[in-house]
Amino acid sequence: KAGVTQTPRYLIKTRGQQVTLSCSPISGHRSVSWYQQTPGQGLQFLFEYFSETQRNKGNFPGRFSGRQFSNSRSEMNVSTLELGDSALYLCASSLEGGAGANVLTFGAGSRLTVL
Amino acid sequence: AQSVTQLGSHVSVSEGALVLLRCNYSSSVPPYLFWYVQYPNQGLQLLLKYTSAATLVKGINGFEAEFKKSETSFHLTKPSAHMSDAAEYFCAVSRGQAGTALIFGKGTTLSVSS
């Protein structure tokens, strides 16, 4: 069974630009969560989507947004990039979400560098 | 609110030695607890999880963790370290309800020397 696939794996942007990251969950998984990982702040929850609806959101500015499609694939978008947005963005999928008995399976991440 | 504290950002052991990575949690409700491992340039891989069944949880690669409610701890251990165990380890807590997020600790980097 294929794992969680994130594209692109690496990308470089400049301040002020926007970026879109993609995540394809494990087949049959309906929940997709996004996390930001930085050396200073560690792993922080961005948002979770289930059946095309945002079910939970972390404490990030409105520049960070996401969506989920009917096939459960998800995208996240960051507009007006800032240097501090440089991070590894991790996507995780699970059957029903809830981060409990339904275990999150993570992708390899998209490493964003903002210059 | 829930939180996780991992004691020691860096732990070094010799190959064959005991591995002990410490995790303390704070939760107002019975927690779900997890340990994940991250190898360089990779995502997180689940090692084990506690979901209120047995307090001693066995995971992959010989790791196990014990849930101690009185100490609010969920320390990760492995009897004998292997070079391939060198990685970053994250403890995480969740309320386990639909739509809730994992709250991660800051991580502990494990180094294994020969």
Side-chain angles (χ1 to χ4, degrees), chain A residues 1-24:
Chain A
K1 184 152 91 166
V4 178
T5 303
Q6 292 188 246
T7 57
R9 287 292 313 277
Y10 302 91
L11 65 165
I12 300 173
K13 295 285 186 178
T14 57
R15 280 180 298 175
Q17 287 187 310
Q18 73 165 12
V19 65
T20 298
L21 308 178
S22 179
C23 172
S24 294

Side-chain angles (χ1 to χ4, degrees), chain A residues 5-96:
Chain A
T5 303
Q6 292 188 246
T7 57
R9 287 292 313 277
Y10 302 91
L11 65 165
I12 300 173
K13 295 285 186 178
T14 57
R15 280 180 298 175
Q17 287 187 310
Q18 73 165 12
V19 65
T20 298
L21 308 178
S22 179
C23 172
S24 294
I26 290 173
S27 178
H29 285 193
R30 296 196 293 165
S31 169
V32 174
S33 300
W34 289 89
Y35 288 80
Q36 181 196 62
Q37 185 178 23
T38 60
Q41 298 299 317
L43 283 150
Q44 294 184 287
F45 172 72
L46 281 157
F47 27 65
E48 187 237 357
Y49 287 87
F50 180 79
S51 293
E52 302 180 63
T53 300
Q54 187 181 86
R55 193 160 60 172
N56 194 7
K57 189 178 188 311
N59 188 26
F60 279 82
R63 299 185 297 107
F64 292 81
S65 63
R67 59 178 176 169
Q68 186 180 36
F69 302 96
S70 58
N71 62 358
S72 293
R73 189 177 71 86
S74 177
E75 290 181 346
M76 67 162 284
N77 182 275
V78 187
S79 62
T80 318
L81 285 167
E82 301 176 359
L83 294 178
D85 297 333
S86 294
L88 181 66
Y89 290 89
L90 291 165
C91 166
S93 76
S94 66
L95 282 168
E96 296 288 340

Side-chain angles (χ1 to χ4, degrees), chain B:
Chain B
Q2 295 181 306
S3 65
V4 172
T5 302
Q6 291 185 240
L7 298 175
S9 59
H10 198 150
V11 171
S12 297
V13 300
S14 299
E15 195 171 21
L18 171 72
V19 175
L20 171 61
L21 304 182
R22 300 177 187 274
C23 172
N24 288 89
Y25 70 91
S26 172
S27 179
S28 58
V29 299
Y32 287 75
L33 293 160
F34 305 81
W35 276 99
Y36 280 87
V37 61
Q38 186 177 33
Y39 298 99
N41 298 316
Q42 294 187 28
L44 282 74
Q45 179 184 5
L46 179 71
L47 279 175
L48 49 81
K49 65 178 182 180
Y50 166 78
T51 57
S52 77
T55 56
L56 182 62
V57 182
K58 294 188 183 300
I60 62 171
N61 301 338
F63 285 94
E64 63 181 37
E66 185 172 9
F67 173 71
K68 292 187 177 181
K69 184 177 178 180
S70 61
E71 299 178 7
T72 60
S73 69
F74 190 58
H75 302 330
L76 182 70
T77 60
K78 182 175 180 178
S80 177
H82 192 272
M83 297 292 286
S84 61
D85 295 327
E88 189 161 19
Y89 292 78
F90 293 92
C91 181
V93 64
S94 166
R95 289 200 306 269
Q97 298 168 347
T100 56
L102 280 179
I103 309 299
F104 286 90
K106 293 293 188 183
T108 298
T109 299
L110 175 66
S111 299
V112 182
S113 58
S114 58

